[in-house]
Amino acid sequence: MVTAYIGLGSNLEDPEQQIRNAVGALKTIEGTVMFSISALYYSRPMGPQDQPDYMNAVARLDTSLSAIALLDALQKIENQAGRVRKDNRWGPRVLDLDILLYDNNVINSERLVVPHYGLKEREFVLIPLNEIAPELCLPDGDSIENLSKNIPSNGLKFHSKLS
Ligand code: ROI
């Protein structure tokens, strides 16, 4: 089994419900158990500001799937939520499920880059990740606790517990 951390984000079509549905769907991925889930957080959009605020959370999954099989499973859940992949990479989305970490692996393939390239700069990833895994270190040795202490605040707000 591998431990993977997944970032969840939504800013369209009832984001809180989108995240709650996604959490339910993550629990049904074959060969996978959800070990923990952070609280829900409101966050201001990173990137273009002319889009709604986001709801974000982070989940820990323990899985027997390969990283690519896990990515396939996550993209299937995104598609079932009605996500349309458009060119606007930084635009609003119904549901975004990102593999943040896959054990201590470093992956640089065309479809998948792990650790997630934005992890260290994103308050909406670091704070929920630190909530569920403060002892965690990245493959390069950086500690999540230190990174989350030093991230500049962009107004992330606790919303509610999920479980
Ligand atoms: N901004 C926030 N606050 N939360 C996200 O999940 C998120 N996802 C994105 C971009 C557009 C970079 N901005 C975001 O993909």
Side-chain angles (χ1 to χ4, degrees):
M1 290 292 257
V2 166
T3 295
Y5 290 90
I6 310 300
L8 298 85
S10 169
N11 72 342
L12 291 178
E13 296 178 33
D14 194 349
E16 176 172 353
Q17 197 54 50
Q18 293 296 341
I19 300 293
R20 288 183 182 279
N21 292 347
V23 168
L26 289 178
K27 291 180 178 166
T28 70
I29 298 176
E30 59 153 341
T32 301
V33 292
M34 183 179 293
F35 185 89
S36 52
I37 177 80
S38 74
L40 278 169
Y41 294 83
Y42 278 120
S43 62
R44 290 209 207 99
M46 182 184 165
Q49 296 295 297
D50 58 340
Q51 56 177 320
D53 284 352
Y54 279 78
M55 194 69 85
N56 285 106
V58 169
R60 171 181 161 176
L61 303 182
D62 289 359
T63 185
S64 59
L65 296 182
S66 69
I68 284 294
L70 181 60
L71 179 65
D72 285 337
L74 298 178
Q75 290 187 343
K76 195 167 148 195
I77 295 170
E78 288 176 343
N79 292 339
Q80 281 165 351
R83 166 140 177 202
V84 187
R85 285 180 186 277
K86 295 202 204 108
D87 293 340
N88 61 336
R89 192 161 162 236
W90 292 74
R93 60 264 329 272
V94 175
L95 182 62
D96 202 9
L97 299 173
D98 291 328
I99 302 178
L100 304 171
L101 293 165
Y102 184 82
D103 262 359
N104 232 6
N105 293 23
V106 176
I107 303 168
N108 279 299
S109 69
E110 206 167 301
R111 277 188 69 200
L112 186 60
V113 175
V114 178
H116 189 273
Y117 70 94
L119 197 159
K120 293 188 187 187
E121 287 87 46
R122 296 185 172 189
E123 186 187 26
F124 61 85
V125 170
L126 286 175
I127 301 297
L129 188 54
N130 185 58
E131 180 196 328
I132 60 171
E135 73 296 343
L136 195 64
C137 283
L138 302 183
D140 68 6
D142 279 354
S143 103
I144 292 299
E145 195 167 26
N146 277 334
L147 289 167
S148 65
K149 263 189 216 148
N150 293 316
I151 188 83
S153 170
N154 188 33
L156 189 80
K157 267 202 323 228
F158 174 88
H159 174 63
S160 64
K161 292 214 171 207
L162 261 167
S163 51

